[in-house]
């Protein structure tokens, strides 16, 4: 149970971490077999004459920290999609078997930039805490102005992955971890 909560916390905060890899280089001293470690060598190519344009995901998530990853328009768009499905405004046969359970609120299990654009969000419903649903929320970007214009749910499905979390575990995690909330 504690492992699930730790995994849950790590999955929420990972996208906000900025990971930079440094490589350590070994340098031979004369012909001997002794090596010394040189200073960290930055693996990023240094150049002064090339300007790399921002990708759409750079625009979408520029400056995002933990607060933005925990509360954003991608999650609100997913909640709106689920509400519209429950009201019958949207048809989605993949969700029909779970219609009663997805009427409940959900917690974000994981969120990260999606390679095809937008956010990949995994959620767990309070009334179905042992199952994970994955969704892709896309956003249209105006590259000239550098802003996100609109959001849409492109897919949502239940995963084979299961959790060992209970409703009580989720409620306790919300109490213990700042910023995590029910949607």
């Amino acid at each position: 149970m504690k492992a699930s909560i730790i995994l849950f916390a790590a999955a929420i905060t990972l996208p906000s971490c900025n990971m930079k890899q440094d490589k350590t280089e070994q340098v031979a001293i004369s012909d001997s077999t002794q090596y010394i470690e040189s200073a960290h060598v930055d693996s990023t190519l240094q150049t002064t004459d090339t300007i790399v344009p921002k990708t759409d995901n750079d625009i979408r998530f520029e400056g995002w920290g933990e607060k933005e990853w925990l509360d954003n328009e991608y999650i609100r768009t997913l909640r709106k999609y689920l509400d519209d499905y429950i009201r019958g405004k949207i048809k989605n046969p993949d969700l029909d078997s779970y219609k009663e359970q997805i009427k409940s609120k959900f917690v974000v299990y994981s969120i990260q930039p999606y390679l095809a654009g937008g956010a990949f969000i995994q959620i767990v419903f309070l009334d179905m805490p042992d199952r994970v649903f994955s969704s892709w929320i896309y956003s249209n970007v105006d590259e000239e102005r550098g802003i996100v214009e609109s959001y849409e749910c492109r897919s949502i499905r239940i995963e084979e992955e299961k959790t060992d979390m209970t409703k009580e575990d989720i409620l306790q995690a919300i109490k213990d971890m700042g910023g995590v909330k029910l949607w």
Side-chain angles (χ1 to χ4, degrees):
M1 178 174 82
K2 286 185 180 182
S4 292
I5 292 172
I6 292 170
L7 174 63
F8 174 73
I12 293 291
T13 58
L14 274 178
S16 65
C17 297
N18 184 9
M19 293 181 238
K20 181 178 179 182
Q21 288 185 327
D22 286 336
K23 293 184 180 176
T24 301
E25 183 179 274
Q26 291 184 339
V27 180
I29 301 176
S30 63
D31 290 335
S32 73
T33 57
Q34 295 178 347
Y35 292 91
I36 61 169
E37 288 188 8
S38 69
H40 291 291
V41 177
D42 190 346
S43 62
T44 307
L45 177 62
Q46 300 289 324
T47 182
T48 57
D49 59 351
T50 305
I51 297 174
V52 179
K54 288 183 180 180
T55 67
D56 285 356
N57 273 352
D58 289 340
I59 294 168
R60 288 177 177 109
F61 305 111
E62 183 174 24
W64 278 36
E66 185 176 349
K67 179 183 175 191
E68 290 80 11
W69 284 107
L70 294 173
D71 187 346
N72 58 66
E73 198 60 37
Y74 294 94
I75 302 169
R76 281 187 275 288
T77 299
L78 177 57
R79 179 74 262 175
K80 183 181 179 320
Y81 177 90
L82 292 169
D83 290 344
D84 286 349
Y85 166 76
I86 292 165
R87 290 184 194 112
K89 293 181 180 181
I90 295 173
K91 303 261 187 256
N92 186 334
D94 294 335
L95 299 178
D96 288 346
S97 299
Y98 312 101
K99 193 167 189 171
E100 287 305 310
Q101 291 87 353
I102 65 176
K103 286 180 181 178
S104 71
K105 293 186 179 260
F106 65 80
V107 68
V108 174
Y109 187 71
S110 169
I111 181 170
Q112 60 192 355
Y114 192 58
L115 187 61
F120 179 75
I121 306 172
Q122 290 186 302
I123 61 174
V124 175
F125 288 96
L126 200 54
D127 287 349
M128 199 171 161
D130 64 326
R131 298 306 303 263
V132 177
F133 286 76
S134 293
S135 63
W136 171 27
I137 308 301
Y138 184 78
S139 59
N140 292 302
V141 173
D142 181 330
E143 292 175 0
E144 287 182 22
R145 296 187 312 171
I147 62 168
V148 176
E149 294 183 317
S150 62
Y151 300 83
E152 64 181 271
C153 181
R154 293 250 172 119
S155 70
I156 183 168
R157 67 181 182 285
I158 192 166
E159 295 291 341
E160 298 216 6
E161 174 184 0
K162 291 188 177 187
T163 74
D164 59 355
M165 289 191 297
T166 65
K167 185 175 188 174
E168 292 75 26
D169 293 336
I170 292 171
L171 295 173
Q172 187 63 46
I174 291 168
K175 283 182 186 176
D176 294 344
M177 298 171 9
V180 177
K181 64 181 185 178
L182 290 171
W183 292 86

